[in-house]
Amino acid sequence: MVTRTLLRTAVVPAAPAEVWEVIGAFGAFPDWHPHLLPSTIENGADPETPGAVRAFTYEGKVVLRERLLAKDPAAHMYRYSVEAPSFAVAGYEATLCVHPHEEGAEVRWEGTYEAASADAVAQVERLFGDGTYATGLAALRERFAR
């Protein structure tokens, strides 16, 4: 397996604190992202405490689980892992963070993972890079452009 990095960024015309207020809650991910499956925090855990797991469901079945690994509200950052994805990758960890930018805020969404094949890399790029990261960042740009 080879370690890979997936990165998408967006500049948003708002202060970093304003953007973080929208995206900073691990448990509220589907509230701001337009194309995600419904999710719940498992076992009644505090969604903002490392160790919390959000489970995405489709037709009543859990199809993806993500575990909060670290959260630093002062730095406008949280890091999470994807547990048991349905394709050939391992060790998937992602960081969502907001930094100051001369035009407002830069939102960085970066994932690292190990892939067993070029097909797995293509799946990650399509599902997470384009389907999740880019779609969510485009929604943020639109939300703050109003």
Side-chain angles (χ1 to χ4, degrees):
M1 287 206 180
V2 177
T3 300
R4 303 288 184 160
T5 299
L6 172 67
L7 174 66
R8 300 290 191 273
T9 65
V11 174
V12 177
E18 288 178 81
V19 178
W20 182 250
E21 189 172 314
V22 171
I23 70 171
F26 184 72
F29 194 43
D31 293 346
W32 64 269
H33 196 292
H35 298 296
L36 289 180
L37 295 170
S39 72
T40 57
I41 300 297
E42 293 183 341
N43 302 318
D46 176 354
E48 305 312 314
T49 300
V53 174
R54 63 183 171 204
F56 295 91
T57 58
Y58 179 72
E59 295 183 349
K61 291 179 65 177
V62 173
V63 294
L64 184 69
R65 296 172 79 237
E66 297 176 338
R67 181 177 303 275
L68 182 62
L69 300 174
K71 184 168 182 177
D72 185 345
H76 300 145
M77 177 281 297
Y78 71 74
R79 186 169 50 87
Y80 63 95
S81 63
V82 176
E83 299 187 350
S86 60
F87 40 91
V89 299
Y92 195 105
E93 290 189 7
T95 301
L96 182 61
C97 59
V98 183
H99 300 285
H101 186 276
E102 63 188 24
E103 296 175 29
E106 178 188 38
V107 182
R108 290 180 57 92
W109 208 338
E110 183 172 12
T112 59
Y113 61 97
E114 292 182 359
S117 68
D119 287 341
V121 172
Q123 280 187 301
V124 169
E125 285 289 332
R126 188 178 73 252
L127 296 173
F128 290 128
D130 299 333
T132 302
Y133 294 15
T135 301
L137 294 173
L140 284 174
R141 277 194 305 270
E142 183 180 317
R143 178 184 191 129
F144 286 100
R146 296 179 199 157

